Amino acid sequence: MARTPRTPPMTPDPAPQPVPGATAARLPRRSLGLKLLLVCGLALVMSIAALFVFALLMDRSNRAEQVAEEVGGLMGGPQTFLGPVLAVPYTRATATAEAVPAGALAGPVRAVTESGVWHIFPTRGRVEAATASEVRSRSLFKVPVYTADLTYSARFDLTNAGAEAPRGAVLDWSRAEIILGASDARGAKSDIGLTVGGQTVALTPSSVEATTGLSYGDDYDSRAPRGDGLRLFGTRLPEAQRAAGTFDVAGRATFSGAQRVAVLAFAGTTEAVIKGDWPHPSYNGGFLPARQAPAAEGPGFNASWTVPFVARGVPVEGGSDALSRLGATELAVTFVEPANPYQSVSRSLKYAPMFIGLVFLAYFLFETTTGRRVHPAQYILVGMAQVIFYMLLLSIAEHTGFDVAFAIAAAATVGLISAYAGWTFDSRAQGIRALVAFTFLYGLIYVLMRLEDYALLVGALSSFAAIAAVMYFTRKVDWYGMAGNDTRDIA
C-alpha cells in the first residue's frame, strides 16, 4: 500500500527587521489648538448654564418688589404732595345745533351748559418736607419707609383771576376752595391744617374736585416711579380774602410713605426743601435740586429747589389739564437701598462669561506648561463649581448682605477649584499656583462690583491682560501637534 507523503509543518514568517538608520514612525499627538477651541466651547456652555441662576435671581427680585409694594402700600407708598391751589367751579353755556328735520333749512338750536373747575395757582409758594426714615422687614425682604412733616406757605393774587377762563365761563366764587393734595391718603398721620386769614381749619375731602390725574412730559426722568394721581382736600375760600385780592395761606400735614417722597411745583415760583436722615438719597423727577448738602447732624441729606415760572411750563391759571401737567414738575427724592443683594448679584452675573472663561484659560495654561492633560469632563466640573458660586452668593446674600456672602462663597469656590487643580495635576505646587491665581481673579470680581463708574474699564483691561498672558505663556506651543513624538492623549 502506497504511503501518503507527510506535509511538513508550516513555520511562521520571520518578523520584519528594522531598516538600519530608519526612525520608527509614530502617530502625532492631538492638536492643542483643537483643545483650546474645545475649552472655549465648554466655557460658553457653562456661561449659558449661568442664565438659569439669573432666572432664579429675577424670581427672587420680583418677590422682593412685591413685598415692597405690599409694605409700602400699608404705609402710604411713594407719596407725591400738592401745595395750596385755588379751585373755582364754573359753568359755561353753549349752543348746540340739533339734527335738521327733512325739508327744513336749519335745525333747532339747543342750549347746553357745561361745567368744570378753574385752577388759580399762587404767585409764590414754598414747601418743606422733613422726613424721618426707618427700615421695615417682612421675611428676608427690607423696605425703607418714612414719616414726613410738611409745611406749606403760599401767596395768592386775585387781581386778574379768571381773565384766561374760557369765553362765557361764569366762576362760582361762593364754592371756591383752597385745595391741597396727596397721592395716598392712607398715609395721613394727622389732619391737614390750613391757616387762612388768621384762622386755622382742618381740610376735608374736596367737594369741588375729589381727585386729579398727573401727566408727565418727555423731559421727565423715566427711571422715577409715576403715581396714578392725587387725592384732593380743601376748605372754602373766605369772602374776606377774595375781596382783599391778595392773601397768604400756610399749612401743615404729617404723612407716612415708602421709598420715595415728591412735591409738585405748585406756584408761579416755587421753593422746595426736602431733608431727612436717609444716608443714600437719589434725586429724580422733573428737576434736579439746586443745592445738595449733607444733613447738619449725622447721616442724611438736605436738598433745595427753586423753580421759576418760565421753567415750570404751566400757566398761572387753567383747567384740569393745567393741574395734571404739574406731574412733570415733580421734585423728588428716592430712598435707595445700597445693600440690595439682588442688584449686586445681578451685576456680578453679567461678568460670568468672562470669569468662567478666565478660569478655563488658567487651567489650559497649567495643562500646557505641565504636560499633564485635563479631560473635558474635568473642565465641566470646574465650570459647575463656578455656576454654583453664584447660587451660593445669592442665597447667602439674602441673609447676610452682599459683602459677607461674597467672602464666604468666593472662599469656598476658590478653595475647591484650587484643590482640584492640585489633585488634577498631582502637584501641591500647582495647587498653590492655582490658589494665588483664582484668589486674584475673584478679588477682581469684587472690585468690579464696587467700582460702578470704572467697572467696564477695569473689566476690559483685565481681560486684555489675561489674553496677553495666555499669548506669552503659549508662545512656544506646537498648536498643530506635529512637531514631537508624544502620543499622550490630551482629551
Side-chain angles (χ1 to χ4, degrees):
M1 189 172 177
R3 299 178 62 183
T4 305
R6 294 182 62 185
T7 304
M10 298 181 62
T11 58
D13 295 334
Q17 299 297 319
V19 179
T23 302
R26 293 195 180 183
L27 294 176
R29 61 180 179 178
R30 295 187 183 180
S31 167
L32 281 176
L34 291 177
K35 182 61 176 291
L36 179 59
L37 293 178
L38 176 61
V39 169
C40 293
L42 290 176
L44 179 60
V45 170
M46 301 314 299
S47 300
I48 295 174
L51 293 177
F52 293 97
V53 182
F54 189 81
L56 178 62
L57 169 68
M58 295 305 299
D59 179 70
R60 301 296 292 176
S61 181
N62 291 336
R63 175 57 183 158
E65 291 179 0
Q66 292 176 2
V67 171
E69 291 179 0
E70 293 171 3
V71 176
L74 297 175
M75 295 293 296
Q79 291 280 20
T80 301
F81 300 104
L82 170 69
V85 174
L86 192 58
V88 186
Y90 72 88
T91 56
R92 180 187 177 204
T94 60
T96 301
E98 296 184 352
V100 179
L105 296 178
V109 177
R110 181 170 58 91
V112 176
T113 301
E114 64 178 30
S115 60
V117 179
W118 193 248
H119 300 93
I120 301 172
F121 300 105
T123 55
R124 297 193 66 86
R126 178 180 174 84
V127 58
E128 182 172 326
T131 63
S133 56
E134 61 177 311
V135 176
R136 295 289 180 91
S137 300
R138 176 178 291 182
S139 183
L140 298 175
F141 309 106
K142 299 179 181 180
V143 183
V145 299
Y146 62 85
T147 300
D149 293 321
L150 297 118
T151 57
Y152 303 98
S153 63
R155 165 160 290 193
F156 289 90
D157 186 355
L158 304 183
T159 304
N160 296 315
E164 299 182 12
R167 178 176 297 181
V170 178
L171 303 182
D172 186 358
W173 288 98
S174 64
R175 296 172 55 206
E177 289 186 353
I178 304 173
I179 60 172
L180 287 88
S183 56
D184 196 333
R186 294 177 299 174
K189 298 302 180 184
S190 67
D191 290 333
I192 303 175
L194 191 68
T195 302
V196 186
Q199 294 185 347
T200 301
V201 296
L203 272 61
T204 59
S206 174
S207 60
V208 172
E209 192 173 19
T211 61
T212 183
L214 294 176
S215 60
Y216 303 87
D218 295 336
D219 296 335
Y220 184 84
D221 187 350
S222 60
R223 298 170 298 176
R226 303 185 179 190
D228 295 330
L230 299 177
R231 290 283 304 277
L232 300 177
F233 307 89
T235 185
R236 289 291 176 86
L237 172 66
E239 179 62 28
Q241 271 60 51
R242 185 220 164 188
T246 301
F247 61 94
D248 296 328
V249 300
R252 298 184 64 88
T254 300
F255 277 80
S256 64
Q259 299 179 306
R260 183 175 184 263
V261 58
V263 298
L264 302 177
F266 63 95
T269 297
T270 304
E271 296 179 358
V273 175
I274 304 178
K275 57 186 178 180
D277 55 1
W278 188 257
H280 307 286
S282 174
Y283 305 104
N284 48 62
F287 300 89
L288 289 176
R291 176 178 174 270
Q292 307 173 24
E297 297 180 359
F301 64 95
N302 189 338
S304 60
W305 291 260
T306 300
V307 182
F309 173 73
V310 292
R312 190 179 72 149
V314 179
V316 294
E317 56 183 67
S320 297
D321 60 330
L323 190 63
S324 66
R325 285 168 57 189
L326 290 181
T329 70
E330 277 190 336
L331 316 173
V333 178
T334 298
F335 299 152
V336 177
E337 178 57 68
N340 183 353
Y342 305 108
Q343 182 178 4
S344 299
V345 175
S346 175
R347 291 183 59 209
S348 64
L349 273 170
K350 294 176 182 178
Y351 291 94
M354 181 179 74
F355 286 104
I356 291 176
L358 289 178
V359 171
F360 278 20
L361 280 178
Y363 265 82
F364 182 78
L365 279 179
F366 297 154
E367 182 178 344
T368 56
T369 55
T370 62
R372 186 69 175 264
R373 303 312 180 197
V374 182
H375 195 275
Q378 294 175 293
Y379 279 100
I380 293 176
L381 290 175
V382 173
M384 290 178 63
Q386 291 182 272
V387 173
I388 294 175
F389 159 76
Y390 292 103
M391 294 182 62
L392 287 173
L393 180 60
L394 173 61
S395 60
I396 299 175
E398 289 186 327
H399 297 272
T400 65
F402 180 77
D403 292 339
V404 175
F406 189 92
I408 296 174
T413 305
V414 169
L416 177 60
I417 60 178
S418 299
Y420 191 64
W423 301 332
T424 300
F425 299 106
D426 195 18
S427 170
R428 180 178 298 181
Q430 204 66 26
I432 295 175
R433 288 175 57 190
L435 179 63
V436 173
F438 297 148
T439 299
F440 174 79
L441 186 60
Y442 275 77
L444 180 62
I445 298 177
Y446 183 80
V447 170
L448 288 178
M449 297 306 98
R450 288 293 173 257
L451 295 177
E452 296 184 4
D453 296 333
Y454 297 96
L456 181 59
L457 177 61
V458 174
L461 293 177
S462 302
S463 300
F464 181 83
I467 294 299
V470 173
M471 290 179 177
Y472 177 78
F473 288 110
T474 60
R475 64 191 185 280
K476 296 182 180 180
V477 169
D478 176 23
W479 294 107
Y480 287 102
M482 302 297 294
N485 297 322
D486 189 357
T487 58
R488 286 177 295 181
D489 190 358
I490 67 171

